[in-house]
Amino acid sequence: MQSNTSCPGLHPLHDMYLDAFEGRFPPADGAVTVLGPPGDGLECSVAFTGHAVVATALPPDEVVTADEPGAAGPDGYGGSMAPDFLRRLAGPDGWVGVIDLTLVAPGRGEPSLPRRTDADGHDRVRRARALRRNVDVYGDDRGLLTLADGLAGRREISIETEPGGDGRGRSLLTAALGHVPAGEPVFAAVSPGNARSLRAFLAAGFVPVGSEVLLRPGRR
């Protein structure tokens, strides 16, 4: 187990994501790094290759302790994504999100999409505003996208395409990258089972760096 404390104004997980974007990953040693909570009432469990990061208000010793004698605790080889661990981490009344694949791509710095001011009621926009800050919405007849400050302050993107399946997801994502300064990373969380969306992100130049689960704890 490793334990780090947050620096004022910048959560350590933010730097870990930037390092991953640049190809520098935590050691694949099976360990679990425990950090303080990332803010906004959220916590998370993040898996890199062979190394896990748990950002929570719980003490590190409590995070890595197994539920029962002889049971396995979280580890860097997938144990931090186990349902039993996530439920324990969130507490009996907490919300546990889904396991998402974490993707990243560099911005292109050539904005071209119009801002959307008519999409406040859209499910994609509502979800973004429930979990992120500074949400901007853009789009055209291909669909809409959100750009926002998300987990640990990283820049995040999400999209919703209109029915079609004619490559518009990749096209919309390529245009979306124009709204991120050239060379700067933008992250996305995509369900591994959403094959169509995942293919679109990969085709647009996104690469996987890990997986993650968001939680909103409810402990007694």
Side-chain angles (χ1 to χ4, degrees), residues 25 27 41 43 51 53 64-65 82 94 133 164 176 180 184 194 202 208 215 217-218:
F25 292 90
E43 299 186 358
H51 196 99
V53 179
V64 300
T65 300
R133 293 182 175 182
V180 180
E184 292 191 8
N194 190 348
L202 295 175
L215 309 102

Side-chain angles (χ1 to χ4, degrees), residues 61-85:
D61 289 346
E62 188 171 337
V63 172
V64 300
T65 300
D67 294 330
E68 299 176 359
D75 57 41
Y77 302 125
S80 67
M81 298 283 118
D84 288 345
F85 169 69

Side-chain angles (χ1 to χ4, degrees), residues 66 77 124 164 188 191:
Y77 302 125
R124 176 70 58 181
S191 170

Side-chain angles (χ1 to χ4, degrees), residues 80-126:
S80 67
M81 298 283 118
D84 288 345
F85 169 69
L86 295 173
R87 171 46 59 199
R88 177 166 66 85
L89 184 64
D93 301 318
W95 167 78
V96 179
V98 300
I99 297 177
D100 280 326
L101 184 66
T102 310
L103 305 166
V104 65
R108 302 178 186 272
E110 298 175 349
S112 60
L113 293 167
R115 189 179 293 271
R116 292 282 297 270
T117 60
D118 60 341
D120 287 348
H122 195 284
D123 285 345
R124 176 70 58 181
V125 177
R126 289 205 305 266

